[in-house]
Amino acid sequence: MAGGGMTALGVKKERAAEYKGRMTLAVGMACLVAAVGGAIFGYDIGISGGVTSMDPFLKKFFPVVYRKKNDAGQNNYCKYDNQGLSAFTSSLYLAGLVSSLVASPVTRNHGRRASIVCGGLSFLAGAALNAAAANLPMLILGRIMLGVGIGFGNQAVPLYLSEMAPAHLRGALNMMFQLATTLGIFTANMINYGTQHITPWGWRLSLGLAALPATLMTIGGILLPETPNSLIERGRVEEGRRVLERIRGTGDVDAEFTDMAEASELANSIEHPFRNILERRNRPQLVMAVCMPAFQILTGINSILFYAPVLFQSMGFGGSASLYSSVLTGAVLFSSTIISISTVIVAVILGVKFGTDKELSKSYSIAVVLVICLFVLAFGWSWGPLGWTVPSEIFPLETRSAGQSITVAVNLFFTFVIAQAFLSLLCAFKFGIFLFFAGWITVMTVFVYVFLPETKGVPIEEMVLLWRKHWFWKKVMPDLPLEDGWAAADGSDDPRK
C-alpha cells in the first residue's frame, strides 16, 4: 500500500458544507447519457423474454421447445425447460461479466467516456448480428456482443453519473439509470407485443431495434465532457478544474476540487486497484460491492423480467395475453422507479389453484398479475435503483473503477445463474420458486438495516470517512495514526479514540 498511515484515507477532512454548485446543462446531458445507457440495458433484458415466446423464433432456432410448448400433455411448468433456450438469454450476462473486468482498466486509464463509447459500439454490433441471425451460433454471438456492451456500459455509466452529479443531487440523479432501465424494459415489452403480429420476421425487428439507443449512447460518449475526477486522476488537473467549474456553474469550487486532488494523489499511488481493494480498510466497500448486486438479483425480479411472457404462458395465458401481461408489469416497474409477501401470495395461488396440467381461472390469473405487479412496484422503489446507486458512490477514487467492475461482475454473474437456471428451477420447484425468492428478500432486508449506513448528502470523495462512524464497520477498519493536517472521522483530535 502506497502512502501508508493516514494517507490511506485520501481525503483529509470533511468539506461538504463548503461545496458550491447547482444543476447545470452539462449535468443534465450526463443524465441523458445515463438514461440511454440504462435504456439499452433494460431493452436487452426485456426483449429476450418476448422473443423466446414467439412461435417463428422458436421454430427457427429451438424447434424442440416449440413442440413441447404446443404439446397438451406436457407439464405446464416444464414447457420451456431447455438449456439452449436459457443460454440465449444468459450468454449476454456471462459475456457482460467478463467484459466488465476488462472495462475497469479502460475506465481508469482512458476515462469514463472511452468505456461508454466501447459499450455503444458493442451494442451496435450485437444488434446487427441478432437482427440478421441465420443460425444459432450467429444468434448467440450477437448476444455475446450485447453482453460486452453491457459490461462496458454498466461499468462506466453509473460511475460517470456519480462523478458528474452535485453531492446533494447525486442520489436522485443516479436513479436516472434505473428509471431508464425500467423504461427500456417497458419499451421492449411494447415492441414485442407489436412485432408478434409480424410473421415470420417480427422477432428480427425486436432484436434489431436495440441499435437505436446504442447509436445515441455512442454519440453521447463522444460529445460529452469527461468527468473532472477522471481528468485529475490522469494528470490533466487544470482541465479537470475547468470542467468542474462548468458543470457546477460557478468558479467557487475550491473545496470540491481539493477533495478530488487529494483523492487523486492517492489513486495515482495505487498500481494494482484490484489488489488494493482487498485490504482491510476497504472491507466495507468490498462487502457492499458483492452483497448489494447479488441481493438485487436474488429478489427474483430478473426471473420475471426475462421470462414474463414465458411465465405467463406457463400459467395458461394465451400468446397475446402473456405478452400483454408482461407489458403491464413493465409499465408498473417504470411508473414506480420490500414486499416479500407478494411472492408468497403468488406461490399460494399457484400451489392451490394451478397444477401441472390445468390452467388458472380468469379471476386467479388477474390476481397473479396484480400481485406480481405489486412485487415489481416494490422493487422499483427500493432494490431497483439502490442496487446500482449505493455501490457506484461508496468507493474512494483509487479503487472506484475496480469496485464498480466488481459490482457489475457480481450482478451479471448472479443474473447469468438465474437466467440459465430459472426455467429448470420452475420445472423442479413449481410454485415453490416464489418462496425461494421470498426467503432471500427477508435476508437482504435485515442486512441493509444492520450494515448499510445512510449515504444521502455525503460527497463522493468523503464517503470513505462515513464507514469510520458506523457502529460495526469502525471495528473492522484498521486504526490510523494521527498525522499533521488530518482530521478524524468523528471530528475528534485523534482518530484512534
Side-chain angles (χ1 to χ4, degrees):
M1 179 182 67
M6 220 26 169
T7 49
L9 275 177
V11 175
K12 299 181 180 180
K13 66 178 182 178
E14 298 180 58
R15 304 182 180 89
E18 303 171 34
Y19 279 25
K20 308 293 182 182
R22 54 181 173 81
M23 183 69 181
T24 61
L25 178 61
V27 174
M29 295 302 294
C31 290
L32 290 179
V33 167
V36 173
I40 194 168
F41 179 44
Y43 188 87
D44 288 327
I45 288 176
I47 207 69
S48 60
V51 166
T52 53
S53 70
M54 295 181 187
D55 285 348
F57 177 84
L58 292 176
K59 283 182 183 178
K60 184 172 181 62
F61 297 108
F62 304 100
V64 173
V65 178
Y66 175 74
R67 289 193 294 270
K68 288 170 62 178
K69 173 185 174 182
N70 293 282
D71 182 0
Q74 179 68 44
N75 186 320
N76 283 325
Y77 287 106
C78 301
K79 286 185 175 182
Y80 290 90
D81 182 15
N82 181 275
Q83 290 300 299
L85 183 64
S86 296
F88 166 70
T89 298
S90 65
S91 58
L92 180 144
Y93 304 100
L94 185 61
L97 188 161
V98 175
S99 64
S100 67
L101 301 177
V102 176
S104 176
V106 174
T107 303
R108 188 183 190 207
N109 298 325
H110 301 285
R112 290 35 168 164
R113 292 168 61 231
S115 284
I116 292 175
V117 171
C118 288
L121 294 175
S122 298
F123 279 130
L124 281 170
L129 284 169
N130 273 175
N135 49 54
L136 187 57
M138 189 174 177
L139 185 73
I140 298 297
L141 180 59
R143 292 289 286 181
I144 289 173
M145 291 304 299
L146 289 173
V148 172
I150 282 178
F152 275 87
N154 284 17
Q155 208 276 341
V157 172
L159 204 59
Y160 183 83
L161 190 52
S162 287
E163 293 182 342
M164 292 291 282
H168 64 287
L169 295 175
R170 190 182 61 247
L173 295 182
N174 241 320
M175 289 184 68
M176 285 291 295
F177 185 77
Q178 174 64 18
L179 179 64
T181 300
T182 60
L183 177 59
I185 293 169
F186 174 59
T187 302
N189 291 333
M190 289 293 291
I191 288 174
N192 280 334
Y193 185 67
T195 59
Q196 66 169 322
H197 303 294
I198 305 175
T199 305
W201 53 271
W203 61 269
R204 294 188 185 275
L205 181 59
S206 290
L207 296 175
L209 284 175
L212 294 179
T215 301
L216 294 176
M217 179 176 169
T218 305
I219 294 173
I222 293 172
L223 297 181
L224 286 179
E226 186 57 85
T227 69
N229 312 65
S230 177
L231 291 169
I232 295 170
E233 182 183 13
R234 291 183 287 136
R236 296 157 63 178
V237 178
E238 292 304 317
E239 183 181 355
R241 182 175 180 110
R242 288 196 298 272
V243 171
L244 181 61
E245 291 177 353
R246 177 150 57 95
I247 66 175
R248 297 293 178 259
T250 178
D252 187 7
V253 295
D254 289 345
E256 189 171 4
F257 177 77
T258 300
D259 274 355
M260 290 181 183
E262 289 177 354
S264 176
E265 183 179 358
L266 175 61
N268 288 327
S269 71
I270 304 300
E271 295 182 2
H272 305 288
F274 279 100
R275 185 187 306 166
N276 183 261
I277 206 172
L278 297 176
E279 293 182 359
R280 186 178 165 192
R281 65 188 178 86
N282 290 318
R283 195 66 46 78
Q285 298 96 315
L286 180 60
V287 169
M288 293 301 163
V290 173
C291 290
M292 293 297 287
F295 285 151
Q296 186 188 50
I297 303 307
L298 289 171
T299 60
I301 188 67
N302 281 9
S303 302
I304 293 173
L305 298 181
F306 294 159
Y307 297 117
V310 169
L311 188 60
F312 286 128
Q313 280 196 12
S314 296
M315 295 175 188
F317 288 57
S320 296
S322 68
L323 285 170
Y324 180 80
S325 299
S326 68
V327 168
L328 179 60
T329 58
V332 170
L333 179 58
F334 173 58
S335 67
S336 66
T337 304
I338 261 216
I339 303 179
S340 62
I341 191 63
S342 61
T343 58
V344 178
I345 294 173
V346 172
V348 170
I349 292 175
L350 296 182
V352 174
K353 294 295 182 180
F354 178 63
T356 60
D357 59 353
K358 60 184 178 181
E359 297 182 357
L360 288 174
S361 67
K362 182 177 180 180
S363 59
Y364 281 107
S365 297
I366 294 173
V368 167
V369 173
L370 290 177
V371 174
I372 288 178
C373 286
L374 177 63
F375 167 77
V376 171
L377 182 70
F379 179 83
W381 279 335
S382 55
W383 281 94
L386 296 180
W388 288 111
T389 299
V390 172
S392 73
E393 66 183 13
I394 61 176
F395 282 93
L397 184 61
E398 75 269 15
T399 57
R400 192 169 297 156
S401 60
Q404 185 67 10
S405 283
I406 291 173
T407 298
V408 174
V410 171
N411 181 285
L412 293 175
F413 172 75
F414 278 88
T415 301
F416 164 73
V417 170
I418 294 297
Q420 187 66 34
F422 178 74
L423 294 177
S424 296
L425 290 174
L426 179 64
C427 181
F429 289 178
K430 301 179 174 58
F431 63 87
I433 189 68
F434 294 97
L435 299 177
F436 170 78
F437 290 125
W440 279 110
I441 294 173
T442 302
V443 171
M444 64 186 69
T445 302
V446 173
F447 174 86
V448 167
Y449 181 80
V450 174
F451 295 111
L452 181 63
E454 178 57 65
T455 61
K456 180 180 180 180
V458 180
I460 192 169
E461 301 302 350
E462 294 183 6
M463 200 69 67
V464 67
L465 304 175
L466 184 65
W467 304 101
R468 295 191 173 276
K469 300 177 182 179
H470 187 269
W471 72 272
F472 177 80
W473 295 117
K474 68 181 179 182
K475 301 174 185 177
V476 173
M477 299 181 74
D479 291 335
L480 297 174
L482 184 66
E483 293 185 8
D484 293 339
W486 292 81
D490 61 359
S492 65
D493 293 332
D494 188 342
R496 294 169 293 183
K497 293 181 179 177

